[in-house]
Amino acid sequence: MNVSSSTTALAIPNAHDSPKLAIDGTPKRASDAKPSAAVAPAATITGPIFTVDVTTASHRMGLNESMVWCQADPAATPSSVLAGGCRWQSMASRDVLGGAWDSVTWMRLALVNSSTMSVERWIKLGHSRTAERSLFVREGEQWRRQDAGMSTPLDRRIDGPAAARGYLSVQVPAGQQVDVLLRVRSGAWVDLRATLLIPKSAVAEVESRELLVVLAAGGLLLSFIFGLLLFLRSRRVAYLCFAAAFSGETIVELHRSGILQQRFWPSHLAVPDYVMSVGGLLALV
């Protein structure tokens, strides 16, 4: 893993011109700096910058220690948060998980590609029940946006294997640096964990997990049908409660894993926040 950091007031200078910083923020001597591949300068933005080399980063590498973050108004835009619309600060472990709050969380890092070939990486952000997950990448004077999360119907997502699985995809050109902004809004428990994924490995993991979840949900569904048939035959309320409990467990498991939206929910509709609550109440019957 290759992670470096620097702080700038106006713009990110070229990698060959800027001094390297030690952990305590003091400039290193030129003789102490290790040689590295040429990296194109990033766009002009403000605040601290953290970089991660995607060519050396391992699969499922945690990104939170390489980020800065802040909370802003839900209507804030990438330009406004970078222009002083929120107070950026380094992310500590205590900031990653927490209770629900109304404001939107922004996170920021830079991905560097020191190789001679373009590299694609996926970012897993938060848990599968997060309402809104967005990734912003600057393209000239504009920001290209990707959306995921339960509040974003599948029809409104960018086509591709990453979006279909709730991940965010970023392409890092050869020898360049890409500045990434991440935006999270959750109506439930806030989870800001960010993980860098290698696409091929991520697909294999997701397919294995989905198979296990679908098999488990199938067993729960058979139990629901069995309980319902017993109720229709005997008219005993206990069997109806038995069927309701298994239907709730099925909803909870499919929603928790994200498969409910990916496989069973209408692609033009968002998944409401109360789906998990309904499943939990049924499971308690």
Side-chain angles (χ1 to χ4, degrees):
M1 179 182 71
N2 181 14
V3 179
S4 61
S5 64
S6 61
T7 304
T8 179
L10 294 175
I12 308 170
N14 189 282
H16 297 292
D17 300 331
S18 58
K20 301 296 182 179
L21 299 183
I23 296 177
D24 60 359
T26 59
K28 290 184 178 180
R29 294 173 298 179
S31 58
D32 296 336
K34 296 181 179 180
S36 59
V39 177
T44 300
I45 49 181
T46 60
I49 301 298
F50 291 78
T51 59
V52 175
D53 192 335
V54 296
T55 61
T56 59
S58 60
H59 177 61
R60 302 192 68 85
M61 187 192 102
L63 296 174
N64 293 100
E65 293 183 357
S66 306
M67 290 181 169
V68 290
W69 75 293
C70 68
Q71 290 181 334
D73 185 87
T77 64
S79 298
S80 66
V81 295
L82 291 177
C86 66
R87 182 178 179 182
W88 296 99
Q89 55 187 315
S90 298
M91 178 168 281
S93 57
R94 64 179 180 275
D95 303 321
V96 176
L97 298 172
W101 52 66
D102 294 332
S103 61
V104 170
T105 301
W106 290 81
M107 295 174 286
R108 176 172 154 220
L109 79 159
L111 300 178
V112 176
N113 181 1
S114 60
S115 71
T116 57
M117 298 180 60
S118 180
V119 174
E120 180 186 13
R121 288 294 182 263
W122 295 355
I123 296 178
K124 181 180 184 295
L125 183 59
H127 54 66
S128 60
R129 303 185 305 280
T130 302
E132 296 177 10
R133 297 191 294 268
S134 301
L135 178 145
F136 298 84
V137 174
R138 187 189 291 274
E139 293 183 347
E141 298 299 323
Q142 305 295 323
W143 289 90
R144 179 171 61 86
R145 176 173 180 169
Q146 293 180 46
D147 291 314
M150 292 296 172
S151 296
T152 305
L154 295 179
D155 285 353
R156 289 175 46 196
R157 300 185 186 183
I158 297 176
D159 291 335
R165 294 168 171 84
Y167 298 143
L168 301 165
S169 174
V170 58
Q171 195 79 25
V172 186
Q176 294 189 28
Q177 175 176 304
V178 174
D179 295 307
V180 176
L181 283 176
L182 300 170
R183 178 184 180 274
V184 177
R185 185 190 70 81
S186 179
W189 184 261
V190 174
D191 183 352
L192 303 180
R193 289 175 294 181
T195 307
L196 193 68
L197 305 176
I198 298 175
K200 184 177 180 180
S201 301
V203 169
E205 290 177 356
V206 169
E207 290 177 347
S208 299
R209 183 174 66 251
E210 285 183 350
L211 177 61
L212 294 176
V213 172
V214 169
L215 288 175
L220 292 171
L221 186 59
L222 287 176
S223 299
F224 161 74
I225 295 174
F226 179 68
L228 190 60
L229 290 176
L230 288 176
F231 167 73
L232 293 176
R233 181 180 178 84
S234 65
R235 299 297 177 179
R236 295 181 61 180
V237 177
Y239 290 126
L240 183 61
C241 293
F242 177 83
F246 276 104
S247 68
E249 288 287 352
T250 304
I251 293 172
V252 167
E253 184 61 28
L254 292 176
H255 186 50
R256 182 193 62 79
S257 62
I259 296 178
L260 178 67
Q261 183 183 40
Q262 297 169 18
R263 305 293 183 186
F264 302 103
W265 202 262
S267 60
H268 64 285
L269 295 177
V271 180
D273 293 337
Y274 57 77
V275 169
M276 178 65 82
S277 299
V278 171
L281 288 175
L282 288 173
L284 292 175
V285 172

